[in-house]
Structure formats: structure tokens, C-alpha cells
Amino acid sequence: MTSTSLQDSTGTAVPAPPVAKKIPTERTHHGETFVDNYEWLRDKESPEVVAHLRAENAYQEAVTAHQEPLREAIFQEIKGRTQETDLSVPHRKDGWWYFSRSAEGKEYGIHCRVKAQDSGSTVADWTPPAVEPGVGIPGEEILLDGNMEAEGKPFFSVGGTAVTVDGRLYAYAVDNSGDERFTLRIKDLRAGELLPDVIENIFYGVAFSPDGTRLFYTVVDESWRPYQVKAHVLGTPVADDVVLYQEDDAAMWLGFELSADRRHLVLGIGCSEYSETRLLRFDDPAQALTTVISRNERVLYEAEPFLLGGKEKILLTHNRAAINSMVSLADPAELEKPQAQQTWQTVVEHSDDVRVNGAGVTATHLIVSIRKDTIERVQVLGLAGLGTPAQQAPVEPAFDEELYTAGVGGSDYEAPVIRLGYTSYFTPSRIYDFVLPTPEQPAGELLLRKESPVLGGYDGSDYVATREWATAGDGTRIPLSVLRHKAVRQDSTAAGLVYGYGSYEMSMDPGFGIARLSLLDRGVVFVIAHIRGGGELGRHWYEDGKKLTKKNTFTDFVDATDWLAKSGWVDPDRIAALGGSAGGLLMGAVANMAPEKYAAIVAQVPFVDPLTSILDPDLPLSALEWEEWGNPITDPQAYAYMKSYSPYENVRQVAYPKIAAVTSFNDTRVLYVEPAKWVQELRNKTAGTEPIVMKIEMDGGHGGASGRYVQWRERAWDYAFIADALGAAELLPGAGLK
């Protein structure tokens, strides 16, 4: 590694970018050999590698030092709009109201509860208590103070919590490094003491058995894939914990949850194309797992066992002869027959225009999550007559805005209400309770419990969100969400930013973001490109942007950029691009395809060396990716196709724009080595003079550093880099904090 001093355009001395030495490593597959000069950077235990990464940080700090006042301004805007002392809306579970508090100056939330009262009045008993920010209430208990837990630790994140039905024991899992391996502890809430049971290296998710004697948790293998569900009997050695199930297929993911009525442990095994559910009955002394539908049937489904009129039923959300999925009802006895002989009752029919995302039950109603016209919605219908001609019509809570997101935020099985979360681009997060329909109130009732406060004189009417459509090269219409300050004029002078993801059927749904306001207030037109590979327009939209159609994701993003350049809103020379993780792969791909279209690109935790990663099944999560990208190990066509777009292997001798790769040393999903190699190759090949930097958080994971203030500063760094590159550092007249 070498480094010398240079001068920037102002004459200020800055170091030259670090130059990693080249140690050629050959990788041969399907008769093709690729020489990788920087694979040695993968050794995170090497002092030389760590020194190189620190040199990268020193370089980016020097190159971007002039952005510090802008970063500080954006950070203060985020902070100034955020009510730092706040709380969540309490939710009721097993006779308690649970909620969390945040406090000014504190990085982490404080998890609390207070005893619920039962008066016999449905409305009163399910109305959350009036909890005030910064003010305790009689009987309030602190379950977990994240600030105390994080004290003296470089990182802090909670990976799951659980409470026994009787409310006595509280389990919580904590990560102090960012590698998403958690330590689980159990607190006796009555005694206020920790139990001696401590379980190391677990994955997300914990749950108690209904009788509170066992604790279920998930373990990952060496490639960071969750592959075991274990049961710990309280008070016994962890070494004696029983493996309830182990998934040996390296391409399958494993998880679990309790059924809504808590009569079953539900194990979910699957990939993006098919799945398998196994059930454990808590009242079965033999504790034998039963399979609902075998993975051999190649059906992608979720199963919810429940009692309907006192009879055992299984609710299936599935894609059997239904690419957008549908909801059916089945008797367990039917599922024991060969599938061709099974009879299922249709509950929600398949539609080419409606994507069914999932379904669940309460004691009285079916809750269905759907996506229609790109928007996520919630529908409910009574269990009476379910799957028969007497089935009730669905009821959908009505909202006023065109572009919004509404989703189920949780419910208690016996509750007469369900909790809904609602947001839009310029409506701060709202929490509603939706009173489930009854014969007396067939439309239900929507009760607003809270709208997250936004300080600093925020007025949503200062901003505009519209749905526009770009046209892809193959004629496909690509939905765009275009966000701007109302003061921006359509005179082709503004700056623009295009954001995208486009993988794993994940949708970039409308949502409020305080940090984004800082860009809009500087006149940046913010475009969210709902490109293929996501889920905004149903399963076809996803299928048309994965495996051997993956390049549609990249070309759609470029076409969205072209729409913005020609829209009349922005100066075509003042457009930047932003994306993270698989969206970081997108950034690397479009940088190679169309570098001239962007003034700057920010790639967050970017998956820019995908072929190297997926060719090695021992690397974290690699085998799980085969269903998304193809298996280049066994399939020469998949190998050739991936190699044709892999950002690292397609860097070419063109003038690249300003590029920032933002990553974390302990990220287990996209390893730091990918952007580290990528920026070296970019610097080797670029024919331009724009800086290419890597910012690495040495104590963070896939989501960056922990702590809200640190995360605000990270977002301020990204946005300052973009605004500076676009010449959009100054606030519009009258915009900003009031």
C-alpha cells in the first residue's frame, strides 16, 4: 500500500488514494479464468488489510473535509426535526401494555410496560393508556434500557425479545459487534434479576412456549445461514438444548414463529421460489413435527393453523396455479393426500392485478395483506362462513392519499382491534387501531392513536409527491415516485437524485423520511424508481428482474434517469444515484453502463463483487442467493450472465463520476472486501479525475453503526456527498428549519 500527497482544486494538500498491492489470484469456472488482484483484502485478521482500510478512511476524510459544515448542517436539521424524547404507542399483550421510550441525548430506546385494566368495556380496555414523553406513569416497569446495555460497547442492537404468557420472564438477545450473532439473556421481572441461563451466538427471533418452561431460538451455520431451531429448557445447561429441526439444504432459509393462537410452533423453511412449513403441537406429548406441504411440490406458501368453529383448519397463502398468490383453507386430513387429490376452499381468489402478500387470523377475523396499484393495503373479513358461499365481503380501511403504505403492525389474537401502521412520503408515521367489523359496525372504525411529531416548523404542504412513469427500452412502463419541494420550478435547472433497489421482490413503498427533507429543501428532485426485480407490480415484476433477466433492473434504472433528465425538472448534468446492498450492486452496474449520466454515485454496503461471493458457498449466505441470481457454480449460462454485469469485473476505462462506497467492517451480508476491491479497480481504470472514496465504519454491521445519533450522522454524510457533488448545498429561500 502506497500513498503520496496531492493538491485539490483549491490548492489544499490531500493524500493520494491508498494503492493496494496486487497479488494475482486465479479463479477458474466453466473454462474461463479470472485474475483477481485484490482478493487478499478478504483477510480481515490481517494487520495489513486493517491498515489499508484505515488509510481508505483517512483518504475519504481528507477528500470530503470541505463537506463537514454541510454534514453538520444536515445533522442538525435531522436532529431539529426529531422529537428526541418520545415514545411508541403502547400495544396490549396478555394483560400488559408494552411500549418504548426515547430520551433526548440518549442513543437507544427504553422498553417498558404497565399493567392493563379490564373493565369489561371493549373500547376502554383496548384504548392505550395516555403515556407522555419523559413522564413515568404509576406501575411502569422498565424491561430493558438499551442505553445501559450499550454502555462501554462499540455496538448495540436487539435481535429479539419475548415475554412469558404470565408476564414473569423476559428474554432479550443483544449484538455488541454488528455481526448479527446475538447473546440471549432472561430476566425475572418479578425478582428484577437475570437468570443464569445465557445462550451465545443465536440468530434473530426468540419465543417462549405457552407454559413458559422452554425458550425457542435459531442458530446460524458457518455461512451465516439460519439452519437450526433449538429449544432450551429453563434452568438446564445450554449444552443440553434440543435441536427441534435442522435444515441441511444450503439454499434454504429457516425461521419460526408461534401460531396466532399459540397452539403450534410454526417452522418456515424456504427460498424465494418454494417453501415448506412444519408444525409442532404444544399439546402433543410426542412433539413430532408434521409437514404441511412438502418442498418437493415446489409451492411457495405460508401456513397458519387455527380453529374455525372448533375444527382444526390450516390457512394457506400460496402460489399453486397463482403467480400472484391466493388464500385457501384446508383440512389437515386433506393435506395428507397426494396433492392432486386434495381439495382446498378458496378464500381470496387469484388476480393478475393484486398481489397477496400474506394472511393471518384473530379469534374472529381473517387479516389479508395485499398490494394493488403498487400500494400495500390491508383487508379484513369475518371468520364466519370462511371458504363457503356465505363468506363475508372484505372490508378495507380507507385512507385519503394516493401514494401511501398501510400495514398490520401486530395484534393480540383475542383483541377486537388490530394495530395498523400508516405513512406516506410527506405524512409522518401514524399508528391506528382498526376496530374489527361487527354486525353493528360493518365498516369497522379507524382510530388514530398517534402521528409521529415532526418539529422545526414542518409543513407537509411544502412538498409534492407525484406518480410518474418512465418507458423502458422494451416498452415496459416503470412507475416512479417523484418528490420535490413546491418551490422547485420546471425549468431544467434543479438537481436530481435517483434511488433504486430492485431485488428480492422488495418494494420501495411510500414512507416518510426526516433526513430526506434536507435534500428536498436544497432543491433536489428525489426520484424513487420502482424498477423490475422489486415487487411493486406483482410477482411478474419480480420475475422479470432476477436470474437471466436481472439486467432489466439496471436498464430500468437508467431509463428512469433518462426520464428525469428529460422531464424539465432538472439539469441533466446535475443527477446523482443512490442505492444500498443489492441496490449497491445496481449502483455498480449503472456506473459501468452509463457513467456519463451521473454527477455522483453513492453505493451503500454494496454487493459489487457478486460472482466471487456466490461462487463460494462457504461465504456468508452465498448458497441462499442462487434462487435470486442463478447458480454460477453448476450453470455455465448463469456464470456467463452474472459475469457480464458484475460491477467489479466490468469496470472499464471511462470517466467515472464521483463515487462513494459506504460499508462496515463487520457486515455479514455484504462483506467489506467487495467495495474495497471495487474502489481499487475503479481507480485503476477511470479515465476521469473525480475522486472515488470508501467510507468504512469499523464497528458497524449491514445497517451501519448503531445508535440513532451516529446513524443520523451517517445519513448526513451520504446526503452531503450528494448535495456537494450536485452543487445543491444551499437551502431554497424559506426552506429548512423554522
Side-chain angles (χ1 to χ4, degrees):
M1 180 182 66
T2 61
S3 179
T4 58
S5 294
L6 299 174
Q7 289 185 336
D8 66 14
S9 58
T10 66
T12 303
V14 297
V19 178
K21 65 184 179 183
K22 295 182 179 180
I23 303 178
T25 301
E26 290 189 352
R27 185 195 72 204
T28 301
H29 287 271
H30 306 294
E32 191 269 351
T33 298
F34 172 69
V35 178
D36 189 339
N37 290 317
Y38 302 113
E39 180 62 14
W40 68 273
L41 291 171
R42 188 177 301 278
D43 183 7
K44 67 185 296 186
E45 303 299 325
S46 164
E48 188 175 4
V49 170
V50 173
H52 174 76
L53 298 177
R54 295 195 186 281
E56 287 282 13
N57 263 348
Y59 173 65
Q60 67 83 7
E61 287 169 3
V63 168
T64 66
H66 67 285
Q67 297 169 15
E68 177 55 34
L70 180 55
R71 290 197 288 259
E72 182 63 25
I74 293 175
F75 171 78
Q76 292 298 338
E77 289 162 16
I78 297 170
K79 190 171 184 288
R81 287 189 169 108
T82 303
Q83 182 166 306
E84 297 183 61
T85 299
D86 202 2
L87 48 86
S88 64
V89 179
H91 69 276
R92 182 168 172 158
K93 190 76 173 176
D94 295 325
W96 293 86
W97 290 102
Y98 292 88
F99 58 98
S100 62
R101 293 185 179 275
S102 60
E104 184 173 357
K106 301 288 188 181
E107 293 274 14
Y108 302 100
I110 303 169
H111 301 267
C112 309
R113 73 175 182 178
V114 65
K115 192 70 176 172
Q117 302 300 316
D118 290 310
S119 67
S121 167
T122 298
V123 175
D125 291 346
W126 289 91
T127 298
V131 185
E132 296 182 29
V135 179
I137 58 176
E140 181 176 327
E141 299 179 16
I142 293 179
L143 305 176
L144 181 69
D145 186 335
N147 303 287
M148 293 180 63
E149 288 283 332
E151 193 170 337
K153 305 293 196 307
F155 184 92
F156 174 76
S157 176
V158 178
T161 62
V163 185
T164 51
V165 174
D166 63 9
R168 185 174 68 88
L169 300 178
Y170 176 76
Y172 62 99
V174 169
D175 171 15
N176 287 130
S177 69
D179 65 0
E180 298 181 277
R181 293 201 182 193
F182 300 86
T183 298
L184 185 140
R185 294 181 174 86
I186 304 167
K187 181 188 289 187
D188 185 327
L189 297 174
R190 294 177 186 170
E193 298 175 351
L194 289 174
L195 299 186
D197 309 63
V198 177
I199 308 175
E200 303 282 358
N201 294 321
I202 76 164
F203 198 54
Y204 292 100
V206 294
F208 283 105
S209 60
D211 63 7
T213 62
R214 288 182 295 169
L215 188 71
F216 305 105
Y217 61 95
T218 308
V219 177
V220 296
D221 62 15
E222 291 303 313
S223 67
W224 247 262
R225 176 183 66 94
Y227 82 118
Q228 287 182 337
V229 172
K230 287 188 169 184
H232 171 71
V233 177
L234 271 61
T236 66
V238 174
D240 295 341
D241 289 1
V242 175
V243 177
L244 293 179
Y245 180 76
Q246 177 169 312
E247 177 52 54
D248 293 322
D249 187 336
M252 300 290 274
W253 185 279
L254 173 65
F256 73 88
E257 61 184 359
L258 299 187
S259 62
D261 59 13
R262 293 193 288 208
R263 295 184 309 113
H264 291 81
L265 185 71
V266 182
L267 276 62
I269 308 147
C271 61
S272 64
E273 298 188 344
Y274 57 89
S275 58
E276 182 173 276
T277 299
R278 299 194 180 200
L279 305 177
L280 175 67
R281 289 186 59 133
F282 289 122
D283 62 358
D284 179 3
Q287 297 184 359
L289 287 169
T290 59
T291 300
V292 178
I293 301 172
S294 168
R295 69 189 70 185
N296 296 329
E297 301 291 348
R298 291 303 192 260
V299 177
L300 186 63
Y301 74 100
E302 294 178 352
E304 177 72 36
F306 72 112
L307 294 175
L308 180 61
K311 295 182 179 179
E312 192 78 42
K313 297 286 185 178
I314 295 182
L315 188 73
L316 298 169
T317 305
H318 65 92
N319 71 345
R320 190 179 74 167
I323 189 169
N324 272 339
S325 292
M326 59 186 292
V327 181
S328 300
L329 197 60
D331 294 324
E334 286 292 316
L335 296 172
E336 295 175 2
K337 303 175 183 177
Q339 190 168 133
Q341 299 175 20
Q342 295 176 16
T343 300
W344 301 354
Q345 289 76 47
T346 297
V347 175
V348 178
E349 293 183 344
H350 175 259
S351 168
D352 289 331
D353 300 320
V354 178
R355 175 74 164 105
V356 177
N357 293 325
V361 295
T362 72
T364 57
H365 285 77
L366 174 71
I367 317 297
V368 184
S369 172
I370 65 168
R371 184 177 299 278
K372 183 179 181 182
D373 300 327
T374 78
I375 300 302
E376 186 179 0
R377 310 162 190 264
V378 176
Q379 295 183 340
V380 302
L381 57 159
L383 294 183
L386 199 67
T388 74
Q391 178 175 302
Q392 300 173 16
V395 174
E396 182 175 313
F399 300 99
D400 297 333
E401 297 177 276
E402 176 190 8
L403 303 179
Y404 67 88
T405 301
V408 178
S411 63
D412 190 272
Y413 182 67
E414 300 291 344
V417 301
I418 59 171
R419 179 67 51 87
L420 298 179
Y422 175 91
T423 184
S424 74
Y425 289 119
F426 300 120
T427 300
S429 174
R430 291 175 177 171
I431 299 297
Y432 289 94
D433 277 341
F434 182 63
V435 181
L436 293 168
T438 62
E440 298 74 29
Q441 196 173 44
E445 184 180 8
L446 204 55
L447 303 173
L448 178 63
R449 298 305 192 190
K450 181 180 181 179
E451 179 172 302
S452 296
V454 182
L455 309 181
Y458 172 74
D459 184 347
S461 66
D462 288 338
Y463 307 91
V464 179
T466 62
R467 169 54 45 82
E468 309 293 346
W469 298 82
T471 302
D474 63 3
T476 301
R477 297 178 75 228
I478 308 160
L480 312 174
S481 295
V482 181
L483 318 180
R484 59 182 172 83
H485 194 283
K486 67 179 182 181
V488 174
R489 298 286 174 247
Q490 199 169 3
D491 58 6
S492 299
T493 63
L497 173 63
V498 187
Y499 172 82
Y501 187 78
S503 291
Y504 304 107
E505 203 180 357
M506 289 183 62
S507 298
M508 299 297 102
D509 289 322
F512 184 75
I514 282 180
R516 189 172 57 218
L517 300 176
S518 291
L519 285 181
L520 300 178
D521 285 350
R522 288 170 170 80
V524 177
V525 177
F526 198 117
V527 175
I528 299 161
H530 304 286
I531 50 186
R532 281 176 282 188
E536 286 88 346
L537 290 174
R539 184 74 179 185
H540 281 298
W541 198 246
Y542 169 53
E543 298 280 0
D544 288 344
K546 66 180 291 194
K547 289 189 174 179
L548 297 180
T549 59
K550 187 63 203 170
K551 289 182 184 178
N552 285 337
T553 301
F554 314 138
T555 55
D556 281 2
F557 189 89
V558 174
D559 291 332
T561 303
D562 289 341
W563 177 91
L564 179 60
K566 298 172 184 176
S567 67
W569 289 109
V570 307
D571 178 345
D573 293 329
R574 300 179 70 202
I575 298 176
L578 173 66
S581 196
L585 181 150
L586 169 67
M587 294 299 99
V590 301
N592 290 333
M593 291 172 58
E596 73 284 356
K597 296 182 186 292
Y598 304 98
I601 294 174
V602 173
Q604 301 160 320
V605 289
F607 189 40
V608 283
D609 189 19
L611 193 51
T612 299
S613 295
I614 297 174
L615 282 168
D616 186 351
D618 294 328
L619 287 179
L621 307 180
S622 288
L624 294 170
E625 300 289 345
W626 295 337
E627 298 301 330
E628 182 72 19
W629 315 95
N631 186 344
I633 299 174
T634 60
D635 185 347
Q637 186 179 17
Y639 176 89
Y641 189 75
M642 286 192 70
K643 193 170 190 302
S644 72
Y645 68 71
S646 172
Y648 178 54
E649 289 159 293
N650 286 280
V651 174
R652 53 198 181 99
Q653 292 182 329
V654 295
Y656 283 92
K658 291 183 176 70
I659 292 178
V662 182
T663 188
S664 295
F665 189 55
N666 291 323
D667 191 342
T668 58
R669 295 173 184 250
V670 179
L671 301 185
Y672 73 86
V673 67
E674 298 200 24
K677 292 164 61 173
W678 181 51
V679 297
Q680 287 296 310
E681 193 64 9
L682 285 168
R683 293 184 191 135
N684 288 343
K685 297 282 182 66
T686 185
T689 59
E690 296 292 358
I692 296 166
V693 302
M694 182 171 79
K695 177 179 180 289
I696 181 166
E697 171 56 58
M698 297 303 289
D699 292 317
H702 192 60
S706 63
R708 57 177 176 168
Y709 296 107
V710 178
Q711 290 177 344
W712 294 349
R713 289 199 180 278
E714 288 189 341
R715 182 62 68 246
W717 194 98
D718 296 346
Y719 283 179
F721 186 92
I722 291 167
D724 176 70
L726 298 179
E730 300 300 320
L731 291 166
L732 296 171
L737 295 176
K738 304 295 193 295

